[in-house]
Amino acid sequence: MTNELIYQEWSDTQEETTISVDTHELTVSYYDEGNTNASENPLVFLHGIPTWSYLWRGVAPAFEDDRRVIAPDFVGYGNSAMHDGFDRSIRAQEQVLDGLLAQLEVDQIDLVAHDIGGGVALRYAAHNPDAVGKLVLSNSIAYDSWPIQFIVDLGLPGTINDMSVDDVDEQLTGMFQSTLIDPDDEFVEGMVSRFRSDKGRISLSRNVIATNTSHTTEIDYEAITAETYFIWGENDEFQPIQFAERLNDDLENTAGIARLDANHWVPADRPSQYADHLSSFLD
């Protein structure tokens, strides 16, 4: 099976809806599988930049016998809206999450998040403390830990305009290959493919420009009551494990840190170990 067919299978399972974000009606694609009759909370997976819900392909399906599993593509990413003219900041993505859960009539969740998805999760958990039972953060942004230099460089005025689709493809491919412990062509192709067009190239630029440190520095971390666990790639230069340690100290109800031999893309590098740690925490 080709790499394209593998990630296309994930796309084919996704559903679509329309979410209102700052008065813009935006298409949101999401993965929604598993046991809808489960007594446990639905398990929601959030991705970061520049990924999409396919990030969780090696982890999320392991929970579908016992849980309803939901994994949205944030707006500007994956198979969700990529046209120009709307906000893609984590503040806006929190609206996407809130709107999707409301449409799905889901009131209580357990939340698993990576990278900027972690920033969205922290905001949502602080603003909706009664809605989140358990929170898992992996190589997450927090405080003023972001944006990283690679993202800053892509967001410089004029940078994307001077880059072709092939240039963007080369930069993203090189970044993923150099920061995976075990480079995985299937994973890299699935990630890069979403931006392999002029619309994707511009969308990536808008996603980058929307990174706003104020949206994590303004969080009232003391308002987060969910039991929180950290599954962290300990070799990460993008979001060092010191930020997991800081969050572990600052949040009210934490269960410790699982330190995996991985870089930033820990759900892709160590999917089996990740699922095992997640399962142990959720049980």
Side-chain angles (χ1 to χ4, degrees):
M1 182 179 292
T2 67
N3 290 337
E4 181 176 356
L5 288 176
I6 291 169
Y7 68 75
Q8 188 58 48
E9 281 189 351
W10 181 274
S11 292
D12 289 345
T13 67
Q14 290 181 294
E15 301 178 46
E16 280 190 358
T17 190
T18 301
I19 304 292
S20 180
V21 180
D22 298 332
T23 73
H24 296 279
E25 299 299 314
L26 301 176
T27 299
V28 173
S29 292
Y30 62 98
Y31 181 90
D32 186 1
E33 298 289 333
N35 186 351
T36 57
N37 296 316
S39 58
E40 293 86 357
N41 289 342
L43 192 55
V44 178
F45 291 88
L46 303 181
H47 68 85
I49 188 173
T51 62
W52 54 299
S53 59
Y54 184 65
L55 171 74
W56 299 106
R57 77 203 190 287
V59 176
F63 296 88
E64 290 172 8
D65 286 345
D66 301 317
R67 298 265 190 152
R68 182 180 185 180
V69 172
I70 301 167
D73 292 346
F74 286 138
V75 291
Y77 298 84
N79 293 309
S80 290
M82 278 197 177
H83 61 272
D84 215 357
F86 59 88
D87 185 12
R88 298 103 182 285
S89 69
I90 65 168
R91 180 203 62 82
Q93 307 294 4
E94 183 188 4
Q95 291 184 44
V96 172
L97 175 61
D98 193 45
L100 178 62
L101 294 177
Q103 285 197 18
L104 298 178
E105 298 183 337
V106 172
D107 298 322
Q108 300 281 330
I109 60 171
D110 292 334
L111 193 50
V112 183
H114 178 259
D115 189 78
I116 70 166
V120 177
L122 285 164
R123 288 180 63 90
Y124 186 83
H127 296 151
N128 304 275
D130 294 334
V132 182
K134 293 191 174 183
L135 173 63
V136 178
L137 299 173
S138 296
N139 300 76
S140 168
I141 65 168
Y143 310 111
D144 58 355
S145 71
W146 65 304
I148 63 169
Q149 194 60 47
F150 176 80
I151 296 298
V152 171
D153 291 344
L154 281 178
L156 292 173
T159 298
I160 285 290
N161 288 337
D162 292 336
M163 295 175 70
S164 66
V165 172
D166 287 343
D167 291 334
V168 171
D169 193 306
E170 182 179 349
Q171 286 226 8
L172 289 180
T173 299
M175 183 274 294
F176 280 120
Q177 289 179 338
S178 66
T179 54
L180 286 160
I181 297 293
D182 300 308
D184 177 349
D185 290 342
E186 175 191 320
F187 172 77
V188 175
E189 173 64 19
M191 293 301 121
V192 175
S193 66
R194 300 300 86 187
F195 299 108
R196 194 176 284 146
S197 65
D198 279 327
K199 180 185 284 188
R201 175 179 64 87
I202 296 300
S203 188
L204 176 61
S205 174
R206 300 297 186 257
N207 297 342
V208 167
I209 291 167
T211 56
N212 186 337
T213 308
S214 296
H215 292 163
T216 45
T217 57
E218 72 179 3
I219 294 171
D220 179 4
Y221 290 89
E222 293 182 356
I224 298 171
T225 59
E227 184 181 7
T228 305
Y229 187 49
F230 306 91
I231 307 175
W232 215 273
E234 64 179 350
N235 306 313
D236 189 359
E237 296 181 4
F238 295 163
Q239 298 299 323
I241 200 162
Q242 287 81 5
F243 287 102
E245 294 166 346
R246 181 176 171 186
L247 284 164
N248 191 49
D249 288 339
D250 287 353
L251 298 186
E252 175 184 321
N253 185 11
T254 60
I257 304 170
R259 302 165 187 262
L260 303 192
D261 179 21
N263 202 314
H264 186 66
W265 316 105
V266 60
D269 265 327
R270 300 289 182 255
S272 295
Q273 291 180 45
Y274 193 103
D276 287 345
H277 281 286
L278 179 56
S279 180
S280 295
F281 174 62
L282 294 174
D283 286 345

